[in-house]
Amino acid sequence: MEDERIKNLFADFEPALSPDDDFMDKLQRNLHSVEMIRQRTSELQARHRKAMAIAAAVGFVAGILFAWLIPYLGQSVTAVAGAAASDSIFGFVSGHYYLFAWILAVGASVLLSLNSYELASALLRPRR
């Protein structure tokens, strides 16, 4: 009984078919759109890879430079803290200056790499 109703429901169903040329034109437009998207995606990936390589190089160089400057920073902090009382904040910092120096070095390296990534992404953007 149920099967008969379903058969009757679909018996009169005759959808209008579009001509083959319309179908092929629409298919060509869709394929062209997909190809444009694929090309744009590959351009974006290449630009982001270049920007990431630049940011990694800047971060690496900045890390090396800051690591090289840490002993000089320690001498400066110790000289300033020597004039201050040992129970003040300068006394605490002079006792633990390596920790603070490394935190500053890492933070500065990260900020430099992030900014260089943003700058490289902006400069590598194609002109339109």
Side-chain angles (χ1 to χ4, degrees), residues 17-29:
L17 298 176
S18 61
D20 291 339
D21 291 338
D22 291 344
F23 173 77
M24 289 304 290
D25 289 340
K26 185 177 179 182
L27 182 63
Q28 288 290 8
R29 281 193 310 270

Side-chain angles (χ1 to χ4, degrees), residues 37-112:
I37 291 170
R38 184 177 296 140
Q39 181 182 6
R40 177 75 173 136
T41 302
S42 67
E43 289 171 2
L44 284 172
Q45 287 175 341
R47 188 173 83 214
H48 288 298
R49 272 191 229 110
K50 289 176 188 174
M52 187 65 72
I54 291 169
V58 167
F60 184 73
V61 169
I64 288 174
L65 290 176
F66 284 120
W68 181 64
L69 293 175
I70 284 178
Y72 300 110
L73 179 65
Q75 291 172 358
S76 302
V77 168
T78 305
V80 170
S86 63
D87 60 343
S88 69
I89 189 76
F90 290 113
F92 178 76
V93 170
S94 70
H96 301 90
Y97 80 90
Y98 272 120
L99 174 67
F100 293 113
W102 278 109
I103 289 172
L104 286 173
V106 167
S109 297
V110 167
L111 285 175
L112 282 171

